[in-house]
Amino acid sequence: MNTAFALESAFKHIPDKSEAWEDLLRLIQDENSFVGRAAGKAAGISFRYVPCRNNAWQDLHKLTLSEDRYVRDRAALALGLAFPYIPDKEQGWEDLHRLINDEYIYVRVRATTALGIAFREIPDKSLAWQDLRRLALDEDSRLRMKAADSFGLAFGEITDSYLALQDLFMLTLDNDWDVKKYSYHSLGRAHILIAIESENTE
């Protein structure tokens, strides 16, 4: 796990980035979940520095298709973080949309976070917005929590900001404390953005 952290911090200075990328791919598939998730995050953050992004993108795409649900979990976060730099955003969005609907709850949770992170770069923002609203109504509180957080991350790119604010307000009334917490935080982010973009003091 510490190796994954170190690679994340040092990646842009490493002379052989292709070899470092291979190390991260191996660590993503580690049997220990803490190691795998740390490596998934590191791979997503480091993607921009990989010399051959086309090949690295194919590696990432294959991980999202893994039969191992834990690997898909890690690939979801990596995809969200790497999304601005992947060469095929249409395929990337297709992968993320599939992961949002994965049968395994933790993959869906991770993909919901990735949706918020990547929202600005997603080609089909209308469908992404529909996905986000649906996740905010999911029966699983973990998904509602991550959706509430993603609302805040994506707010500046959401076309119907009024509706987004209404959705967030409803989430503040949720029975789950964590859902409330993330909803209030996202409401704060949204209102700060609204204030920054306002043309007058009113």
Side-chain angles (χ1 to χ4, degrees):
M1 184 171 66
N2 285 328
T3 300
F5 292 151
L7 283 170
E8 177 187 327
S9 298
F11 199 92
K12 65 180 178 181
H13 304 293
I14 293 173
D16 191 341
K17 292 178 176 62
S18 296
E19 184 68 24
W21 178 252
E22 291 298 322
D23 290 337
L24 284 174
L25 293 177
R26 177 171 47 79
L27 290 171
I28 286 174
Q29 298 172 77
D30 193 278
E31 61 183 15
N32 183 286
S33 62
F34 292 105
V35 174
R37 285 177 182 168
K41 177 174 175 281
I45 290 172
S46 302
F47 186 89
R48 72 184 76 181
Y49 303 114
V50 176
C52 185
R53 286 186 185 171
N54 285 325
N55 290 344
W57 161 235
Q58 288 306 313
D59 293 332
L60 202 52
H61 170 62
K62 288 176 186 175
L63 290 175
T64 70
L65 296 168
S66 173
E67 293 183 3
D68 187 328
R69 61 188 183 180
Y70 298 107
V71 172
R72 296 197 305 277
D73 171 328
R74 300 153 190 179
L77 181 57
L79 177 58
L81 292 166
F83 207 92
Y85 307 99
I86 62 174
D88 189 347
K89 289 183 172 57
E90 292 290 344
Q91 181 62 61
W93 166 232
E94 185 178 317
D95 290 343
L96 185 53
H97 183 68
R98 173 170 37 79
L99 292 168
I100 288 167
N101 295 286
D102 196 274
E103 61 181 357
Y104 182 51
I105 180 62
Y106 284 108
V107 176
R108 298 201 303 275
V109 167
R110 209 74 55 203
T112 303
T113 297
L115 177 60
I117 295 169
F119 197 92
R120 178 187 296 269
E121 302 289 337
I122 289 174
D124 191 346
K125 288 185 175 60
S126 177
L127 181 56
W129 169 226
Q130 291 175 36
D131 280 339
L132 201 50
R133 296 197 74 205
R134 175 177 53 80
L135 291 161
L137 298 172
D138 197 274
E139 62 181 19
D140 192 297
S141 64
R142 290 166 293 187
L143 283 172
R144 297 197 306 277
M145 177 184 71
K146 292 301 182 182
D149 188 36
S150 290
F151 266 107
L153 295 171
F155 187 82
E157 302 297 321
I158 294 172
T159 304
D160 194 336
S161 58
Y162 177 78
L163 188 57
L165 287 173
Q166 293 302 305
D167 288 342
L168 274 172
F169 177 73
M170 291 305 298
L171 285 168
T172 66
L173 305 176
D174 198 277
N175 292 325
D176 186 276
W177 169 247
D178 285 325
V179 176
K180 287 177 180 284
K181 178 176 66 178
Y182 280 94
S183 300
Y184 278 118
H185 185 253
S186 287
L187 269 175
R189 294 179 66 139
H191 280 96
I192 289 170
L193 184 61
I194 290 170
I196 290 170
E197 294 181 348
S198 294
E199 295 182 359
N200 57 62
T201 56
E202 291 182 8

